[in-house]
Amino acid sequence: MINKVKSAVEKYNMLEMNDSVTVGLSGGADSVALLYAMLELKSCYNLNIQAVHINHQLRGAESDRDEDFCRSLCKRLNIPFFCKKIDVAAHMKQYGTSCEESARILRYQAFDEYSDGGKIATAHTLSDNAETIIHNLARGTGLKGLTGIPPVRENIIRPLILAERDEVEAYLKDKSQDFVTDCTNLTDDYTRNKIRHHVIPQLKKINPSFFKTIASDISVLQLEESFIAQASDEAYKKCLVSENRLENLKGYHKAIRNRCIAAFLNNHGLRYSSDRIEAVDSILLHDGKINISQNVYIISEKGILFIEYVNEKIECSSFEMPLAIGKNSICGKKFCDVQIILNENCVKTQFINTNLANSALDYDKIIGVPVIRSRKPGDKI
Amino acid sequence: MINKVKSAVEKYNMLEMNDSVTVGLSGGADSVALLYAMLELKSCYNLNIQAVHINHQLRGAESDRDEDFCRSLCKRLNIPFFCKKIDVAAHMKQYGTSCEESARILRYQAFDEYSDGGKIATAHTLSDNAETIIHNLARGTGLKGLTGIPPVRENIIRPLILAERDEVEAYLKDKSQDFVTDCTNLTDDYTRNKIRHHVIPQLKKINPSFFKTIASDISVLQLEESFIAQASDEAYKKCLVSENRLENLKGYHKAIRNRCIAAFLNNHGLRYSSDRIEAVDSILLHDGKINISQNVYIISEKGILFIEYVNEKIECSSFEMPLAIGKNSICGKKFCDVQIILNENCVKTQFINTNLANSALDYDKIIGVPVIRSRKPGDKI
């Protein structure tokens, strides 16, 4: 295992000489092994190592047992030890987040507090990473999601990211070092258990070297992701002529256009889905206007993309009128344009415009007279 | 299902007006549904449709039953029908390929023969595609492998590529059309069965819309793959100053360098693995020479990469001599340079050079006197 830690540290430039490293120590196998591994690298990098244990106070006496275990271990290894008690339930109540999410946020807040700008080492393994990737694939992902847990993110490092769970346990066995049930089992939710206990064993039957293989897959995908991210960042910077305006994006490859559109929406606090990106890309190419949220429009004119914030509202509280072919004036302020388009029972004419301001109805299925009216209680869209 | 077929046909420009389409018809649910779907699109594109059934002659009477089923179906639907009997066993014997591989090769040869340059439609579904992607992930893949089965490859089209297996069966049920056990079960090998029956059901438990999700994942990954493929093709063309020489590759992003190195090796009929690409990339950056196969070297001088074919062989059939520190002359023609390097128990000095001409041994573990000698029967590397 230690060689995989050394490989990861080198490959991702995790450590520099004289680094201070705060190890997140739960007392579970992974984090205990991480602490030992950091000790093995201590002299080489002249590291300053300390450990922080987070007592989640979620499992009563067991939580306190874990805390005691970590305290004793650090005392024996002569590592400065800190313990932070966090109130997950209170955080959940205040922010409406899930138990796992609250625990995660408070955990990293505590690590930040004790690390004082130094490195924070967490014990994510290759096994965790494989599970995350399969989780992302199942729940929907782009290329980035297939690169899994970032080995380094700001001052957080994951030195076990190339090591398998089995190797971690063998490493500790070799040192006759025991461990407690890992409190990261907090994240052992329904989904992760399914992947760990049902999906991964099947993939290991298909390929006994599955973990080695996926580590290599991840390596390649990380590279390609970093290339696309760099290319789209460059394109974005070139096209962003003002905070609110993207010019010349039209000439780029669709993959780059889509990443830039996502960044543009995201930077304006606007939600994006693959459908929305597709719709914006379509108006980028052909010009048009999309209502993004209540009073926000994204507009493309001559291939220039910009966002318009409209404060004006239609000032007529309630109306109802039959729809006629052609322009229907709504309270004299807006128009609804009605056309009948022939359906030739042909794919070519079945194209549904993804521009959100357009709707298509099947004329044959309309009974009675269609009306346009303001929203009433009970209406659903 | 038919809407997903129409979407796929549009999205991937599968059909043009007046196309001739040869449907690969096994008699299984997928291919029967494909035939019906093509008939539904016939008038829109003015298609000329025919069906080809491949009798693999592997399942005796059952093979003939399938052939009869397809013939009757086409007669009833008034579709020109052709049947080709193929000898999978003979092909396997001649080329040493697996049963599935031989069947696949012969099948596409037959489709080619009957299509006469027109389109060939095969019945791969989104379900097949999801299985393929998971298979690739388990067995090792780059970004391309995660885009799965290509919807269009030359004149081969896969109109069912966005439809799920369940939707295919529902479509046929709706038409009261029965089908035989799909002979594509030939590819239902050990691996695919594991994925179909054990992995996918778990992923569907995690995300009931798994197939919808993976279709969207694939769409994004296809885009990004096409962008990187385009960027690396362009780089390769720019850098390839002669068949045997890549110049200025050093200045590109590592993702592009690696794809170009793979293409360079591949275009010279040389095998590549991720380790080999890494080794070549390393000499590209720092200059050096790698023995690629028996008498082929890849060399980098001042960042210019070229391949050297060496005919010279060391003309001494058998030798054995103790290794000494410094230069050891081998038959007066080659040298083996031996150094002792201190291992400071430090990652920085544990770097193993991936240049294939270098080897490192642990001095503490060598018992007796190390010798260098020519290959003897029974030697393994």
Side-chain angles (χ1 to χ4, degrees):
Chain A
M1 187 205 83
I2 192 67
N3 286 330
K4 296 206 172 161
V5 171
K6 289 174 179 174
S7 297
V9 166
E10 271 215 40
K11 183 171 183 185
Y12 300 108
N13 300 310
M14 289 179 179
L15 292 173
E16 285 167 44
M17 291 302 291
N18 310 316
D19 260 347
S20 288
V21 180
T22 300
V23 174
L25 183 67
S26 68
D30 296 343
S31 69
V32 172
L34 173 63
L35 185 62
Y36 271 92
M38 288 298 99
L39 281 175
E40 288 203 47
L41 297 182
K42 184 180 163 126
S43 65
C44 174
Y45 288 98
N46 191 33
L47 299 178
N48 189 9
I49 301 172
Q50 61 177 13
V52 171
H53 175 77
I54 311 296
N55 188 333
H56 293 78
Q57 303 185 96
L58 288 170
R59 290 170 300 136
E62 209 178 278
S63 288
D64 296 329
R65 177 208 66 180
D66 293 356
E67 181 184 326
D68 292 343
F69 173 87
C70 293
R71 181 174 284 112
S72 309
L73 175 65
C74 287
K75 196 172 178 187
R76 188 162 58 72
L77 296 174
N78 201 23
I79 303 276
F81 175 80
F82 302 93
C83 176
K84 172 93 178 182
K85 284 189 163 54
I86 58 174
D87 191 344
V88 177
H91 187 274
M92 286 166 70
K93 205 174 159 188
Q94 189 176 352
Y95 297 97
T97 42
S98 71
C99 178
E100 290 81 10
E101 183 61 7
S102 285
R104 202 186 60 78
I105 292 169
L106 292 172
R107 208 157 51 227
Y108 280 94
Q109 271 175 5
F111 292 157
D112 245 356
E113 181 184 322
Y114 287 100
S115 70
D116 196 27
K119 301 273 168 77
I120 296 164
T122 68
H124 297 91
T125 61
L126 178 57
S127 309
D128 294 321
N129 210 0
E131 288 158 20
T132 299
I133 286 166
I134 291 164
H135 185 204
N136 290 348
L137 188 71
R139 299 287 290 267
T141 191
L143 179 51
K144 193 167 183 195
L146 294 169
T147 64
I149 302 165
V152 174
R153 182 168 61 80
E154 294 168 6
N155 62 334
I156 299 165
I157 59 173
R158 272 100 188 202
L160 301 190
I161 202 71
L162 300 181
E164 295 170 41
R165 191 163 294 130
D166 290 355
E167 294 170 325
V168 165
E169 295 193 10
Y171 175 74
L172 290 181
K173 201 175 171 192
D174 197 46
K175 298 204 177 303
S176 306
Q177 174 62 54
D178 60 353
F179 53 87
V180 298
T181 309
D182 201 322
C183 101
T184 58
N185 286 342
L186 276 173
T187 57
D188 255 3
D189 58 2
Y190 177 82
T191 299
R192 194 165 280 274
N193 268 326
K194 285 225 161 330
I195 296 172
R196 183 176 303 171
H197 300 304
H198 301 292
V199 176
I200 303 260
Q202 293 296 334
L203 301 179
K204 283 188 80 167
K205 276 189 199 168
I206 292 168
N207 175 10
S209 311
F210 171 67
F211 281 109
K212 198 179 160 201
T213 301
I214 200 150
S216 162
D217 290 352
I218 292 168
S219 232
V220 174
L221 297 174
Q222 276 171 345
L223 256 188
E224 312 225 303
E225 161 61 23
S226 90
F227 170 66
I228 302 193
Q230 186 185 306
S232 60
D233 279 357
E234 282 170 12
Y236 190 76
K237 278 178 196 150
K238 271 190 194 163
C239 296
L240 193 74
V241 294
S242 75
E243 196 203 347
N244 197 20
R245 204 174 165 90
L246 284 177
E247 285 191 16
N248 297 320
L249 184 56
K250 203 170 163 177
Y252 286 86
H253 188 283
K254 184 167 164 63
I256 298 297
R257 296 200 308 265
N258 286 10
R259 284 205 179 207
C260 287
I261 290 167
F264 194 49
L265 293 172
N266 192 46
N267 292 344
H268 285 83
L270 300 167
R271 284 199 191 170
Y272 60 92
S273 61
S274 54
D275 284 350
R276 175 159 287 174
I277 291 173
E278 204 53 55
V280 176
D281 192 49
S282 168
I283 64 160
L284 174 66
L285 299 183
H286 311 296
D287 285 353
K289 183 173 181 174
I290 296 174
N291 180 230
I292 287 281
S293 72
Q294 214 173 3
N295 55 345
V296 183
Y297 290 82
I298 188 157
I299 299 170
S300 171
E301 278 175 17
K302 297 181 183 168
I304 297 171
L305 212 58
F306 57 96
I307 293 174
E308 195 174 75
Y309 297 87
V310 182
N311 288 321
E312 170 210 10
K313 272 190 178 177
I314 296 181
E315 289 301 337
C316 68
S317 53
S318 170
F319 65 93
E320 177 164 338
M321 48 187 263
L323 268 187
I325 307 291
K327 279 202 172 177
N328 294 261
S329 162
I330 300 170
C331 305
K333 300 212 173 181
K334 294 248 167 183
F335 292 95
C336 172
D337 190 24
V338 178
Q339 301 173 35
I340 296 184
I341 300 167
L342 282 180
N343 177 0
E344 299 287 1
N345 190 24
C346 171
V347 273
K348 301 252 169 187
T349 62
Q350 286 192 354
F351 173 68
I352 302 298
N353 196 315
T354 45
N355 182 324
L356 302 185
N358 286 342
S359 300
L361 302 170
D362 186 343
Y363 191 82
D364 287 345
K365 291 190 181 151
I366 296 172
I367 297 166
V369 181
V371 298
I372 185 162
R373 62 166 172 77
S374 51
R375 193 176 182 91
K376 282 186 185 170
D379 282 353
K380 281 184 190 176
I381 292 182
Chain B
M1 189 207 78
I2 193 66
N3 285 330
K4 295 206 172 164
V5 171
K6 288 174 179 173
S7 296
V9 165
E10 271 216 39
K11 182 171 181 181
Y12 300 109
N13 300 310
M14 289 180 178
L15 294 173
E16 283 165 46
M17 289 304 291
N18 308 318
D19 261 345
S20 288
V21 180
T22 300
V23 174
L25 183 67
S26 67
D30 295 343
S31 68
V32 173
L34 173 64
L35 186 63
Y36 271 92
M38 288 297 99
L39 281 174
E40 288 202 46
L41 298 182
K42 186 180 162 129
S43 65
C44 174
Y45 288 99
N46 191 31
L47 299 179
N48 188 9
I49 300 171
Q50 62 177 12
V52 172
H53 175 78
I54 310 297
N55 188 332
H56 292 78
Q57 302 185 98
L58 288 171
R59 290 170 300 135
E62 209 177 279
S63 288
D64 296 331
R65 176 209 66 181
D66 293 356
E67 180 184 327
D68 292 343
F69 172 88
C70 292
R71 181 175 285 109
S72 312
L73 175 66
C74 287
K75 195 172 178 185
R76 188 162 57 73
L77 296 173
N78 201 23
I79 303 278
F81 174 80
F82 303 93
C83 176
K84 172 94 176 179
K85 282 187 168 52
I86 59 174
D87 191 343
V88 177
H91 186 275
M92 285 167 70
K93 206 175 158 188
Q94 189 175 352
Y95 297 97
T97 42
S98 69
C99 178
E100 290 81 13
E101 184 59 8
S102 286
R104 201 185 61 78
I105 292 169
L106 292 171
R107 208 159 49 228
Y108 280 95
Q109 272 175 6
F111 292 155
D112 245 357
E113 182 184 320
Y114 288 99
S115 70
D116 197 27
K119 302 273 168 78
I120 297 164
T122 67
H124 296 91
T125 60
L126 178 58
S127 309
D128 294 319
N129 210 359
E131 288 159 20
T132 299
I133 286 167
I134 291 164
H135 185 203
N136 290 348
L137 188 70
R139 300 287 290 268
T141 189
L143 179 52
K144 194 170 181 190
L146 294 170
T147 64
I149 303 165
V152 174
R153 184 168 61 78
E154 293 166 6
N155 61 334
I156 299 165
I157 60 175
R158 272 103 189 199
L160 301 190
I161 202 69
L162 300 181
E164 295 169 41
R165 190 163 295 127
D166 291 354
E167 293 169 327
V168 164
E169 296 193 10
Y171 174 74
L172 290 181
K173 201 174 171 191
D174 196 47
K175 299 205 174 309
S176 306
Q177 173 61 52
D178 59 354
F179 52 88
V180 297
T181 308
D182 199 323
C183 99
T184 59
N185 286 343
L186 274 174
T187 57
D188 254 1
D189 58 4
Y190 175 82
T191 299
R192 196 167 278 274
N193 267 326
K194 286 226 159 332
I195 295 171
R196 183 176 303 172
H197 300 304
H198 300 291
V199 177
I200 303 259
Q202 293 295 335
L203 300 179
K204 284 187 79 167
K205 276 187 198 168
I206 293 169
N207 176 10
S209 311
F210 171 68
F211 280 110
K212 196 178 161 206
T213 301
I214 202 153
S216 160
D217 290 351
I218 292 169
S219 232
V220 173
L221 297 173
Q222 276 171 345
L223 254 188
E224 310 225 306
E225 162 61 23
S226 92
F227 169 66
I228 302 195
Q230 184 184 309
S232 60
D233 278 358
E234 281 171 11
Y236 190 76
K237 278 180 196 147
K238 272 192 192 164
C239 295
L240 194 75
V241 293
S242 78
E243 194 201 348
N244 198 22
R245 205 175 165 89
L246 284 177
E247 286 190 14
N248 297 321
L249 183 57
K250 205 171 161 176
Y252 286 86
H253 188 284
K254 186 168 163 58
I256 297 298
R257 296 201 307 266
N258 286 10
R259 286 206 177 205
C260 287
I261 290 167
F264 193 49
L265 293 171
N266 191 47
N267 292 344
H268 286 83
L270 300 167
R271 283 197 191 171
Y272 60 91
S273 61
S274 54
D275 284 349
R276 174 158 288 174
I277 290 173
E278 203 54 53
V280 176
D281 192 48
S282 169
I283 64 161
L284 174 65
L285 299 183
H286 311 295
D287 283 355
K289 184 173 180 173
I290 294 174
N291 180 228
I292 286 281
S293 74
Q294 215 174 4
N295 57 344
V296 183
Y297 291 82
I298 187 154
I299 299 170
S300 170
E301 279 175 13
K302 295 182 185 169
I304 297 170
L305 213 58
F306 56 97
I307 293 172
E308 196 175 74
Y309 297 87
V310 182
N311 288 322
E312 170 211 10
K313 270 190 180 175
I314 298 182
E315 289 300 339
C316 68
S317 55
S318 169
F319 65 94
E320 177 164 338
M321 48 185 262
L323 267 189
I325 307 293
K327 279 200 170 177
N328 294 261
S329 162
I330 299 168
C331 306
K333 300 214 173 181
K334 293 249 168 184
F335 292 96
C336 172
D337 191 24
V338 177
Q339 300 172 34
I340 296 184
I341 299 167
L342 283 180
N343 177 357
E344 298 285 3
N345 190 26
C346 171
V347 274
K348 301 253 165 180
T349 64
Q350 285 190 353
F351 174 68
I352 304 297
N353 195 316
T354 46
N355 182 322
L356 302 184
N358 286 343
S359 300
L361 301 170
D362 186 343
Y363 192 83
D364 287 344
K365 290 189 180 152
I366 297 172
I367 297 164
V369 181
V371 298
I372 185 161
R373 62 167 173 76
S374 53
R375 196 178 180 95
K376 283 184 186 173
D379 282 354
K380 282 183 186 174
I381 291 182

